Amino acid sequence: MTEQTRALPLVLAPPKGRGKPPRHLADLDPAERKVAAESLGEPAFRVKQVAMHYFGRLERDPDQMTDLPAASRARIVESLLPPLLTPVRTLEADGGTTRKTLWRLFDGALVESVLMRYRDRATICVSSQAGCGMACPFCATGQGGLQRNMSTAEIIDQIVDGASVMARGLVPGGPGRLSHVVFMGMGEPMANYKAVIGAVRRMVARTPEGLGLSARNITVSTVGLVPRIRQLAGEGIPVTLAVSLHAPDDELRNELVPINTRFSVAQTVEAAWEYARATKRRVSIEYAMMRDINDQAWRADMLADVLNSYGDWGWVHVNLIPLNPTPGSKWTASRTEDEREFVRRLVAKGIPTTVRDTRGSDIDGACGQLAAADA
């Protein structure tokens, strides 16, 4: 590996000494909301009213919450909905249907989210950590290192903002509904498991407990933290699992995805198969196509053999990702002919395969490009 692309150390625990964001309504389960109401000296239904505004109407402005008593409205909202994300800038691509927003958190940390509107759906790609500790050398986020975990509410607030943008018709196509959420922004979701699963529970809970999204429209991505994949399988929430494999053999994956030195390809794929078996949800294997690195035809055959070793009952599909450029990186996207042959080999062995429609690469908003640079 060149000096230019040498991986940082693998970091699973965030650095100590970072402060915690203010407690927010989205951090609280129903029992905790009752306690919050008592601490405010308000009846429990006041918190429910605020929750209806936040989760149901996607509203944060106390002036719009006219069902709250005027004398205490500001105090109640300030306590339950403290500002968590401050927009720094928003960049647009694809005729305005892709929007990348840079957010500043309470402690100055920067994260990004990407809203993408398609013909039949609207998806937001959210961050779960400020930075990332997984140290994948081809990923801009991974090369930035890990600053801290995000809270459940900081994750949810990205989604509420995206849903509000859609509802207000700020994306070409008129008012619409946010339908899908993918944890493919900054960070390794499984390394911030408690906050991520808390956010998932808020997403799927009915309003006013949450956003009322379908679990089947939520994708949780991971580079392969095997114990957490198994834990997720037992949560009873049928989200889609996406595993960023990127290589079918340990020798190469150890270089591309350093967590592989702890959990091998075989262990990772087995955990993914166990997830599919437990949830009856098809697992997505993410595979970034890198020229002359992992895109050889024989590696396509090897990948198919690894996946087929667990049976062909429709438990998996492969999502090939044309590698997106990052500044100063030696890694480049595969040649078109090599990508086509890779697909042909997988399909020939019965593996359902798609090539991701890469959006937002011209605003550094595509997979692997999020670096949260304030410049």
Side-chain angles (χ1 to χ4, degrees):
M1 190 178 296
T2 67
E3 186 72 26
Q4 187 180 39
T5 57
R6 181 170 296 153
L8 298 172
L10 186 66
V11 178
L12 292 174
K16 295 182 179 180
R18 306 281 303 208
K20 292 184 177 181
R23 187 189 66 166
H24 186 280
L25 174 70
D27 291 314
L28 309 179
D29 62 26
E32 291 169 332
R33 292 181 189 185
K34 183 178 179 180
V35 172
E38 293 172 353
S39 68
L40 286 168
E42 298 287 342
F45 73 83
R46 291 285 181 232
V47 178
K48 186 175 181 179
Q49 287 175 303
V50 176
M52 182 60 74
H53 284 290
Y54 182 72
F55 289 111
R57 301 185 180 96
L58 310 172
E59 184 59 69
R60 302 180 182 88
D61 184 358
D63 291 340
Q64 302 301 315
M65 303 181 190
T66 54
D67 55 344
L68 298 177
S72 56
R73 185 183 305 156
R75 176 178 60 85
I76 294 171
V77 175
E78 181 181 354
S79 175
L80 295 174
L81 302 179
L84 297 177
L85 308 177
T86 301
V88 177
R89 67 169 178 270
T90 296
L91 301 177
E92 296 184 351
D94 305 309
T97 59
T98 299
R99 293 167 52 101
K100 182 180 78 165
T101 302
L102 175 66
W103 303 102
R104 191 181 307 280
L105 307 182
F106 84 101
D107 57 355
L110 297 171
V111 299
E112 291 178 314
S113 61
V114 183
L115 177 64
M116 297 161 284
R117 185 173 197 165
Y118 300 88
R119 179 183 58 80
D120 58 344
R121 68 191 188 280
T123 300
I124 188 164
C125 176
V126 297
S127 295
S128 56
Q129 294 179 309
C132 183
M134 296 299 101
C136 299
F138 58 90
C139 174
T141 311
Q143 286 302 290
L146 176 63
Q147 296 180 55
R148 70 168 173 90
N149 285 337
M150 296 178 68
S151 67
T152 287
E154 286 175 324
I155 296 169
I156 288 292
D157 217 33
Q158 297 171 76
I159 302 166
V160 168
D161 180 81
S164 176
V165 166
M166 284 296 301
R168 289 182 289 153
L170 300 182
V171 179
R177 180 176 177 271
L178 182 72
S179 57
H180 290 66
V181 178
V182 295
F183 281 89
M184 295 183 177
M186 300 178 68
E188 162 55 49
M190 295 291 193
N192 187 19
Y193 188 87
K194 183 178 180 181
V196 166
I197 198 63
V200 169
R201 292 192 184 282
R202 301 295 181 275
M203 288 181 224
V204 301
R206 292 183 179 179
T207 306
E209 302 303 326
L211 289 165
L213 297 174
S214 168
R216 294 177 179 272
N217 291 345
I218 299 169
T219 298
V220 177
S221 177
T222 179
V223 294
L225 275 66
V226 168
R228 295 306 193 189
I229 294 175
R230 292 179 174 143
Q231 187 174 354
L232 184 65
E235 295 286 355
I237 308 175
V239 298
T240 297
L241 174 68
V243 177
S244 298
L245 199 64
H246 304 314
D249 55 294
D250 287 327
E251 181 179 6
L252 179 58
R253 195 168 191 263
N254 285 345
E255 178 181 353
L256 298 180
V257 188
I259 196 67
N260 199 73
T261 60
R262 302 197 183 192
F263 306 110
S264 68
V265 168
Q267 290 172 308
T268 302
V269 173
E270 182 176 22
W273 172 76
E274 289 173 351
Y275 183 87
R277 184 179 60 174
T279 63
K280 304 299 187 289
R281 297 286 292 146
R282 188 172 71 164
V283 171
S284 178
I285 297 296
E286 309 289 297
Y287 199 102
M289 295 288 286
M290 307 176 208
R291 181 179 299 184
D292 300 327
I293 301 293
N294 67 347
D295 61 354
Q296 301 89 345
W298 65 266
R299 277 202 164 92
D301 291 336
M302 178 183 288
L303 176 60
D305 291 343
V306 168
L307 300 178
N308 278 332
S309 67
Y310 290 91
D312 59 357
W313 49 277
W315 74 274
V316 69
H317 86 283
V318 171
N319 187 20
L320 299 179
I321 308 167
L323 187 73
N324 295 298
T326 56
S329 174
K330 71 171 185 178
W331 315 92
T332 58
S334 298
R335 303 172 190 88
T336 300
E337 59 269 25
D338 293 337
E339 181 183 283
R340 288 174 179 167
E341 179 62 12
F342 207 92
V343 172
R344 190 190 71 77
R345 296 282 186 118
L346 289 173
V347 172
K349 291 201 171 215
I351 302 295
T353 304
T354 55
V355 179
R356 179 179 293 175
D357 174 24
T358 300
R359 295 182 59 168
S361 59
D362 50 338
I363 56 170
D364 292 335
C367 181
Q369 291 186 312
L370 300 186
D374 186 10

